[in-house]
Amino acid sequence: MMDDRIRLEILSNRFQAIVDEMAQVVSRTAHTVFVKETQDYGSVLVSRKGEVFAAPRRYGVLMMIGMPMEAALDYIGDDVAEGDIFISNDPDATRGMATHLSDVYLWKPIFVDGELLCWSWTFIHVSDIGGRVPGSIAPSSNEVFQEGLRIPPQKLYAAGELNKALLDMILTNCRTPDPNWGDMKACLAGLATAERRVHELTAQYDYASVDSTIDQVLDYAEAQARRVIGHVPEGTYRYTDYIEADMVGLGLVRIHVAMTVKGGEMLLDFTGTAPQVRAALNIPTYSHDGHWMLITGLVNWICTQEPSIAYNAGLVRPMKVHAPKGTILNPEPGAAYGARYATSHKVCDVTIGALAQAVPMELPATDSGQGSILLVSVPDFETGGHKVSVIQPIVGGAGGRPVDDGVDGTMVILNFLKNIPTEIFENEMSEIVIRHYGLREDSGGPGKYRGGTGIEIEFETSSPYTSITSRCMERYIFGPPGRLGGHMGATGYTTFNPGTNREADLGKIDVLEMEPGDALRIGTQGGGGFGDPLERPPDKVADDVANGFVHRGTAQEHYGVVLGDDGAVDETATLSRREVIREERGWTEAPLYGLGEAREAYSAVWSSELEDAISQAVADMPVQLMQFLHGRLIARIQTEHDEGRKVAADAVPGILDDVRREVASGMATAAE
């Protein structure tokens, strides 16, 4: 009999080969740039219990091993037969398997000799699923009903027979029916591939061997993950950051974590995080342990420490989650979810920020924080319908690393998002012309290891009624923090009709209407720098200036590197300039975080103690009342500050009582 350890290794690699082939089939047969170019899709194998036991590491969305499927399987019950294929995009019915309506999941049971062995699923981000705006997603949507068609789990195919009435209903309610069905058929091809390859595997190794190995490979990944976590000093580490919801009138939305490391496990307690919001920024996690939208950065860290780890849901088993109900990370059903990735990315920043207190030399500085999809819709004058497409993922640079610069123009956490060749995009959307697309000078945070640069893109439309959305735009207020003496990266910008007398600074985009001849230019953030910029070799700084990554003024101001007219380093002037910088800054030990002046000024008013007190004051209220009074309470405290009165944490309950009395009085007056 084959040694169990050898069989485990062989079958683990065979599982990996199956999901990789699934992913390539989906990518190569898809119709839209969302899938075939941007690669916003996924394909995995799932155990009968609902755990992902194999997922690609190179194709499609790479961090979904913590996707919970148990609730979706419970929803469909025991009415499962060979040839069935299920479909859903409903975050509430699946309790956090789907996380916004644009992600449509198809999954299939794999039977062997009449016995259910496992499941395969694929998902695609469809170009449009209906709703109030083309592309379905706008940050200003405030309930899920505005975001498109909801499909609770049900059979698209029953015993191999297509439910045409269901398919027609789905396609009738979206703006891009033919591309959507094309991408869905690519998913079906991926599912068929998985079924065929699993049958080949069981024919070679038998059902019992493959079945037992599914559990073993999950347990193996869990043991490896616990071993990695076990080297982190035990303790509780806290960190806070903010979603910038100013484009929908909500100001800064707090994300707070207390990470407790003990016994090879991590408890992520998000108590103190803001209530759910009336915007499309909520994440339907249902406080599920290891939920993929809460632990992405930690998964990347574990994989970096243990590159050969089995890549499956066993890896996230040690990651326990407490996200209080009614908060932005565990909203009540019916909230808007479309732009939830802006929040997920901020969760990544806070979890990595907390862990960096324990193992600072194992983690990069903060990356750009923006993983936005720039989407355009124009009228199709031939059909009377719409053409909808991604222009580009507009992603910023990665944070500087403990041993190297950050990656330019992309981030580690979003490295699966591929850019779209301009020629392909302009061929599909001839109404849009890309004027400029490249790296953004001087955007990466200064450091011993420079933060990766952001990008810049400028385009022009020739079509009337051009509609632009760009979900998940972030870090226009607080730049990405540096680490261990590194400086923050640049903030983002959006300029309408640059270089004309109609030029305007737009900030973040919700929904933007453009007319023929209008142009838009967007610059994304650079990653934070890692380490003291004065320790960066002067020749490297000179190369950065020559290559357009760093401005000459920045080289002198922050790196202390003085360049001559020929671009060469003036060594004497550089030594002198660096000494001046050391004396001016005054610290002898590099600070762990380089937050920047704007964030430090904000924290001076809104201390952790004050924000904790605000969260505690409204914590036990019904969610709609919690939202309303939380906003009123913050506005009142801001007024107190603006009038020169500092508010202490212990004064919050009294201020809340005053606010409630004012609200009650106003309601009584209105009733009269």
Side-chain angles (χ1 to χ4, degrees):
M1 178 179 288
M2 183 185 297
D3 183 278
D4 284 348
R5 290 170 297 180
I6 297 174
R7 185 183 66 196
L8 174 64
E9 189 66 26
I10 291 172
L11 291 184
S12 177
N13 282 280
R14 291 289 293 273
F15 296 154
Q16 188 69 56
I18 291 170
V19 294
D20 285 349
E21 185 178 0
M22 285 176 67
Q24 291 192 63
V25 167
V26 175
S27 176
R28 292 178 182 275
T29 57
H31 286 219
T32 69
V33 295
F34 251 129
V35 180
K36 66 186 179 183
E37 297 294 342
T38 305
Q39 297 210 3
D40 199 343
Y41 72 95
S43 53
V44 303
L45 292 173
V46 182
S47 73
R48 289 191 300 274
K49 297 177 182 177
E51 288 186 288
V52 174
F53 69 87
R57 300 187 72 163
R58 293 183 292 171
Y59 311 106
V61 179
L62 301 181
M63 63 273 201
M64 299 185 72
I65 56 173
M67 190 279 299
M69 196 175 180
E70 299 96 314
L73 297 181
D74 289 344
Y75 191 102
I76 62 179
D78 297 327
D79 182 18
V80 179
E82 290 194 59
D84 288 351
I85 296 177
F86 296 85
I87 186 170
S88 184
N89 71 338
D90 188 347
D92 297 324
T94 63
R95 294 183 68 84
M97 179 185 83
T99 53
H100 66 178
L101 302 189
S102 296
D103 288 348
V104 175
Y105 287 77
L106 293 98
W107 67 96
K108 184 176 189 177
I110 299 179
F111 288 86
V112 177
D113 297 328
E115 188 103 14
L116 179 62
L117 175 65
C118 64
W119 300 82
S120 62
W121 69 242
T122 56
F123 94 87
I124 39 128
H125 183 113
V126 297
S127 294
D128 184 278
I129 196 68
R132 57 184 278 259
V133 299
S136 306
I137 298 173
S140 57
S141 295
N142 58 54
E143 57 180 355
V144 72
F145 306 104
Q146 298 172 324
E147 298 186 312
L149 179 69
R150 298 168 73 185
I151 313 165
Q154 52 193 298
K155 292 183 182 182
L156 182 63
Y157 284 81
E161 191 73 24
L162 174 65
N163 184 342
K164 190 172 186 304
L166 173 60
L167 178 63
D168 289 346
M169 186 272 293
I170 294 171
L171 298 182
T172 299
N173 282 279
C174 59
R175 297 174 178 86
T176 54
D178 292 339
N180 284 3
W181 179 227
D183 284 350
M184 289 165 67
K185 287 190 286 187
C187 287
L188 298 175
L191 296 176
T193 299
E195 184 176 46
R196 184 173 66 253
R197 295 306 189 198
V198 169
H199 284 165
E200 292 172 359
L201 196 60
T202 54
Q204 183 176 357
Y205 289 98
D206 72 63
Y207 178 100
S209 295
V210 175
D211 185 38
S212 63
T213 303
I214 289 172
D215 289 331
Q216 291 168 11
V217 76
L218 287 162
D219 293 342
Y220 182 46
E222 179 182 3
Q224 290 176 297
R226 288 183 181 277
R227 194 159 53 243
V228 172
I229 294 170
H231 86 275
V232 178
E234 293 190 347
T236 298
Y237 307 97
R238 303 175 187 276
Y239 195 79
T240 296
D241 211 331
Y242 303 88
I243 306 163
E244 299 174 1
D246 52 308
M247 73 287 196
V248 290
L250 294 176
L252 298 172
V253 179
R254 188 191 194 209
I255 305 292
H256 177 77
V257 71
M259 175 189 292
T260 299
V261 181
K262 186 176 182 180
E265 289 188 351
M266 290 178 165
L267 170 62
L268 306 177
D269 184 352
F270 292 99
T271 299
T273 291
Q276 69 185 71
V277 294
R278 290 178 57 80
L281 297 165
N282 304 285
I283 309 180
T285 68
Y286 284 85
S287 198
H288 195 288
D289 287 342
H291 193 285
W292 71 276
M293 299 211 83
L294 301 179
I295 48 79
T296 306
L298 301 176
V299 168
N300 286 350
W301 164 71
I302 287 176
C303 291
T304 301
Q305 299 301 306
E306 186 66 57
S308 62
I309 194 169
Y311 195 61
N312 60 52
L315 194 158
V316 307
R317 284 175 176 174
M319 299 177 191
K320 311 303 181 183
V321 169
H322 174 61
K325 196 171 180 63
T327 63
I328 195 171
L329 305 183
N330 184 14
E332 297 282 2
Y337 309 120
R340 87 284 189 241
Y341 196 75
T343 304
S344 177
H345 202 125
K346 202 65 64 175
V347 172
C348 176
D349 289 349
V350 301
T351 54
I352 293 301
L355 185 59
Q357 297 169 32
V359 285
M361 294 306 295
E362 295 181 11
L363 295 155
T366 310
D367 64 29
S368 73
Q370 177 168 294
S372 184
I373 301 296
L374 183 61
L375 185 141
V376 62
S377 171
V378 298
D380 187 332
F381 293 111
E382 293 183 5
T383 68
H386 295 79
K387 296 200 296 183
V388 180
S389 182
V390 178
I391 298 177
Q392 281 294 350
I394 48 171
V395 180
R401 293 168 284 181
V403 294
D404 205 349
D405 294 344
V407 182
D408 296 314
T410 190
M411 299 176 296
V412 174
I413 193 174
L414 280 177
N415 62 1
F416 66 87
L417 276 180
K418 307 301 189 290
N419 71 322
I420 300 168
T422 296
E423 296 82 1
I424 290 177
F425 168 75
E426 291 183 342
N427 182 59
E428 293 198 4
M429 299 287 284
S430 58
E431 299 84 355
I432 307 296
V433 174
I434 307 298
R435 287 178 170 178
H436 169 72
Y437 179 48
L439 297 177
R440 178 186 174 192
E441 183 184 32
D442 220 30
S443 54
K448 179 179 180 180
Y449 299 108
R450 173 179 56 77
T453 66
I455 65 167
E456 289 180 312
I457 184 168
E458 184 176 328
F459 63 92
E460 180 180 344
T461 182
S462 61
S463 174
Y465 309 117
T466 297
S467 178
I468 302 293
T469 60
S470 189
R471 56 188 169 98
C472 307
M473 300 181 89
E474 270 291 315
R475 294 208 182 277
Y476 278 53
I477 299 173
F478 299 149
R483 183 78 47 75
L484 290 173
H487 297 195
M488 73 172 193
T491 53
Y493 74 85
T494 307
T495 306
F496 188 60
N497 287 317
T500 72
N501 58 8
R502 298 169 57 218
E503 179 174 309
D505 179 9
L506 298 185
K508 304 182 190 72
I509 297 173
D510 177 33
V511 180
L512 175 67
E513 302 296 334
M514 298 175 65
E515 295 296 330
D518 283 344
L520 194 69
R521 187 178 184 93
I522 298 173
T524 68
Q525 308 75 5
F530 191 101
D532 187 348
L534 302 187
E535 295 181 9
R536 187 169 180 83
D539 288 345
K540 278 199 168 187
V541 178
D543 288 343
D544 286 342
V545 172
N547 290 323
F549 296 140
V550 173
H551 190 273
R552 287 177 66 98
T554 300
Q556 182 164 323
E557 181 180 359
H558 295 299
Y559 289 98
V561 174
V562 181
L563 303 176
D565 293 339
D566 59 356
V569 176
D570 183 329
E571 295 184 4
T572 301
T574 294
L575 287 172
S576 176
R577 173 63 186 151
R578 287 188 161 184
E579 188 57 38
V580 169
I581 293 174
R582 288 190 183 95
E583 291 178 2
E584 288 178 346
R585 68 190 183 189
W587 48 260
T588 55
E589 183 177 350
L592 181 57
Y593 307 113
L595 299 174
E597 293 181 2
R599 172 68 187 275
E600 289 175 352
Y602 180 85
S603 298
V605 176
W606 298 92
S607 66
S608 295
E609 294 78 14
L610 179 58
E611 292 186 316
D612 286 343
I614 294 169
S615 295
Q616 291 165 11
V618 301
D620 297 326
M621 297 177 181
V623 65
Q624 290 170 322
L625 186 61
M626 183 195 305
Q627 289 175 317
F628 181 73
L629 291 178
H630 184 268
R632 286 294 186 95
L633 185 55
I634 287 177
R636 172 64 70 83
I637 293 172
Q638 183 64 56
T639 298
E640 294 287 317
H641 170 71
D642 292 344
E643 294 176 357
R645 296 183 292 274
K646 186 176 179 63
V647 175
D650 59 8
V652 169
I655 296 175
L656 180 59
D657 287 341
D658 289 344
V659 169
R660 298 186 75 159
R661 281 192 293 270
E662 286 180 6
V663 171
S665 175
M667 292 174 65
T669 301
E672 293 174 0

